[in-house]
Amino acid sequence: MTAGPRRVFVAALATETNTFAPIVIDRKGFEDSLYAPPGQHPATPTLCTAPITVGRKVCAEKGWTLIEGTAAWADPAGLVARGAYETLRDEILGQLRAALPVDAVVLGLHGAMVAQGYLDPEGDLLARVRGIVGPDILVCAELDPHSHLTAKRVAAADFFVVFKEFPHTDFVDRAEDLWRIVVDTLEGRVKPVMSVFDCRMIDVFPTSRQPMRGFVDRMMALERDNPRLLSLSAIHGFMAGDVPEMGTRMIAVTDNDPALGAEMAERLGRELFANRGRHMMPLIDEHEAVARAMAATAHPVVIADVWDNPGGGTAGDATVILKELLARGATGVAVGTIWDPVAVQLCFVAGEGAELHLRFGAKSAPLTGEPCDALVRIVTLAADAQMNFGESLAPFGPAARIALLTPERRETGVEVILNTVRAQSFDPSLFSALGIDPRAQKILVIKSTNHFYAAFQPISSEILYCSAGKPYPNDPATNPYRLVRKDIWPRMADPFGSEA
């Protein structure tokens, strides 16, 4: 360690890779979402960059030197181009070398990135960081729970702290936990040791409902009640990532007590396994969802298109629910969003107030419905639309708000927001950014699995989780994996056998 005030290097490199998605993330994919060179990260964090903004506050209070590296985040899609990953990785590693000596390296990662030629980019990055700083320097990171906890990452890092909530409303809180352990370690009060338990399962774990709500509450109570238990985290896994170590794992970080860590990780991990198949919210198809939404007497009803979720790497251009709404003559409908950069460009050329025949949606992949051909009026154009996501902002523009018309040029009562930058539906400000009052609608259609819940639940009369089409590989028992292990539930009924 250095003498005097501590020197800490911090950087972020993150995205979530749906290996089945056709959209490759290049350097521009990061720049469209977030690319911040050293010292240029905004005051508010994005999903995986809270270690930077929290680190600024902590180091200022401690009188420590914070050396900021690059922060880069791309909205989820398919594989990251090899050149994009390698150049961003080497940019950060070069900044770390220039910052030496340091007492700690603190990173913001996602954990589900896959790049061309790299099944485990985060493991590659962490191993290279460890090679630069040596075995005695603290290396840690904040992770998204929808990640792959590989052995290579565990070997390279001293500890990880993972978001506990899904929707991820706590990424700043967990960054504060991360930095608390960093400070206590560098000041000699604790020695973090990480223990991991493999739950041998693939599942979806929304914390907005039981049994996961109670599980997270118990994790936090255990942390409060035992000072030797520094952090507990559940890695949910990411079922759209076809990699060998995909799956659910429990992490326990203790103050130099590996026996306690192993016991806690296994106990909680087996509890998750015992509840397998009971975590996911009930799903209905598009026919039932639209029928129930139209029959509702209180509004707005939110229909969540859970599997066409850009936050899971899909395009976000499926039209299955929209087509059902149109077929049933629904009115008072706002759809946010359908990704179609070409259609947005055509709208910008035509201008606000113009009417034109427009084809949009369902162009990215099979099983997303059929393109929508409609006479539309361009109501609003936004050159740089964005919505709130907790304390941060999520860009989705340029964007166009279109009203669908009858052949006689009458309003159908259905409006759609078309966007250029893919982003899931985090917050009702998605609609207000284009001049739509979400509270005044009968039906809101959004693209998200569960991140929307915290912001939309307070304004909705009912939330319907809809499984429409199959733009996302949503059945781990039958998904066409090539690399995922076979001894994992539900690919195997009981991977623990007599151990359970």
Side-chain angles (χ1 to χ4, degrees):
M1 291 186 182
T2 58
R6 302 291 186 234
R7 293 171 51 84
V8 181
F9 178 82
V10 64
L13 178 55
T15 191
E16 181 180 61
T17 299
N18 178 341
T19 59
F20 298 90
I23 304 168
V24 174
I25 299 177
D26 60 3
R27 176 79 177 221
K28 187 175 185 299
F30 287 92
E31 293 170 352
D32 284 343
S33 298
L34 174 75
Y35 173 74
Q40 295 184 28
H41 190 285
T44 56
T46 60
L47 185 66
C48 295
T49 65
I52 295 174
T53 55
V54 172
R56 288 173 176 170
K57 178 181 177 182
V58 170
C59 289
E61 291 174 349
K62 303 295 294 184
W64 293 358
T65 299
L66 184 71
I67 305 101
E68 294 186 21
T70 292
W73 155 261
D75 280 291
L79 294 178
V80 177
R82 177 190 284 267
Y85 167 64
E86 290 180 342
T87 56
L88 288 168
R89 176 201 66 191
D90 293 347
E91 187 175 320
I92 290 170
L93 294 176
Q95 293 158 353
L96 173 59
R97 290 189 187 95
L100 295 177
V102 297
D103 298 288
V105 176
V106 178
L107 297 173
L109 305 174
H110 182 285
M113 184 190 301
V114 184
Q116 295 167 341
Y118 295 87
L119 289 174
D120 183 14
E122 287 93 344
D124 172 67
L125 174 63
L126 285 163
R128 292 171 185 269
V129 166
R130 178 59 74 193
I132 292 170
V133 300
D136 300 325
I137 298 301
L138 184 67
V139 176
C140 61
E142 183 180 27
L143 299 176
D144 188 297
H146 298 115
S147 55
H148 315 300
L149 192 66
T150 67
K152 187 173 186 177
R153 301 174 194 185
V154 173
D158 290 284
F159 70 94
F160 297 117
V161 171
V162 182
F163 314 154
K164 285 182 169 66
E165 302 289 351
F166 175 39
H168 300 331
T169 54
D170 65 329
F171 56 91
V172 174
D173 295 333
R174 300 292 77 80
E176 290 172 349
D177 289 348
L178 181 83
W179 273 96
R180 170 180 50 79
I181 300 172
V182 169
V183 170
D184 286 348
T185 302
L186 296 186
E187 293 185 342
R189 287 184 291 274
V190 301
K191 181 181 178 182
V193 174
M194 182 162 55
S195 302
V196 176
F197 180 76
D198 182 357
C199 303
R200 306 185 196 179
M201 65 188 292
I202 313 167
D203 209 344
V204 179
F205 302 89
T207 62
S208 50
R209 66 189 303 271
Q210 297 294 2
M212 201 61 187
R213 178 69 265 145
F215 184 87
V216 168
D217 291 342
R218 284 194 300 282
M219 281 200 294
M220 292 191 286
L222 287 165
E223 290 172 339
R224 287 193 301 269
D225 294 343
N226 190 335
R228 297 195 68 80
L229 200 55
L230 304 181
S231 176
L232 291 169
S233 298
I235 293 285
H236 298 187
F238 184 57
M239 73 169 73
D242 186 9
V243 295
E245 294 175 83
M246 184 264 279
T248 304
R249 288 167 174 79
M250 274 301 307
I251 301 173
V253 182
T254 63
D255 181 9
N256 199 27
D257 194 340
L260 172 64
E263 188 272 328
M264 292 301 305
E266 179 168 356
R267 190 214 311 175
L268 292 169
R270 287 187 180 274
E271 182 179 334
L272 283 177
F273 184 80
N275 280 321
R276 63 197 179 280
R278 301 176 191 148
H279 298 96
M280 183 67 176
M281 65 286 291
L283 299 175
I284 57 178
D285 67 17
E286 67 273 14
H287 309 296
E288 182 179 350
V290 170
R292 285 175 56 178
M294 291 180 67
T297 56
H299 305 114
V301 176
V302 172
I303 302 177
D305 192 352
V306 297
W307 297 128
D308 189 33
N309 173 18
T314 67
D317 70 345
T319 60
V320 176
I321 297 175
L322 174 60
K323 292 282 188 139
E324 181 70 13
L325 287 160
L326 293 172
R328 290 177 177 260
T331 60
V333 175
V335 179
T337 60
I338 290 180
W339 178 70
D340 195 326
V342 173
V344 171
Q345 185 177 15
L346 293 173
C347 290
F348 269 80
V349 171
E352 290 184 357
E355 296 180 1
L356 70 158
H357 290 277
L358 187 68
R359 168 169 284 197
F360 61 91
K363 298 172 183 174
S364 66
L367 306 176
T368 57
E370 297 295 327
C372 186
D373 294 303
L375 177 65
V376 308
R377 178 179 299 118
I378 303 166
V379 181
T380 308
L381 298 171
D384 188 20
Q386 56 188 3
M387 67 184 122
N388 298 324
F389 179 38
E391 297 180 16
S392 64
L393 295 171
F396 64 93
R401 170 187 171 190
I402 59 173
L404 277 59
L405 308 177
T406 68
E408 297 77 26
R409 286 179 157 71
R410 293 195 299 269
E411 301 277 349
T412 64
V414 176
E415 294 193 332
V416 177
I417 296 175
L418 304 173
N419 62 314
T420 302
V421 175
R422 293 177 314 103
Q424 67 176 298
S425 311
F426 290 117
D427 186 272
S429 57
L430 159 71
F431 294 99
S432 55
L434 272 294
I436 297 173
D437 179 359
R439 295 175 183 268
Q441 309 306 308
K442 295 179 180 177
I443 301 172
L444 298 172
V445 180
I446 60 174
K447 307 273 187 173
S448 179
T449 304
N450 204 44
H451 281 321
F452 71 90
Y453 184 87
F456 277 91
Q457 191 275 334
I459 74 162
S460 64
S461 63
E462 185 177 7
I463 293 174
L464 303 175
Y465 292 88
C466 183
S467 177
K470 198 172 181 181
Y472 179 94
N474 57 47
D475 183 358
T478 60
N479 289 340
Y481 296 123
R482 296 183 303 107
L483 303 175
V484 171
R485 57 198 274 199
K486 292 182 172 60
D487 61 334
I488 186 171
W489 182 89
R491 306 192 80 199
M492 175 182 286
D494 186 4
F496 285 103
S498 60
E499 299 176 42

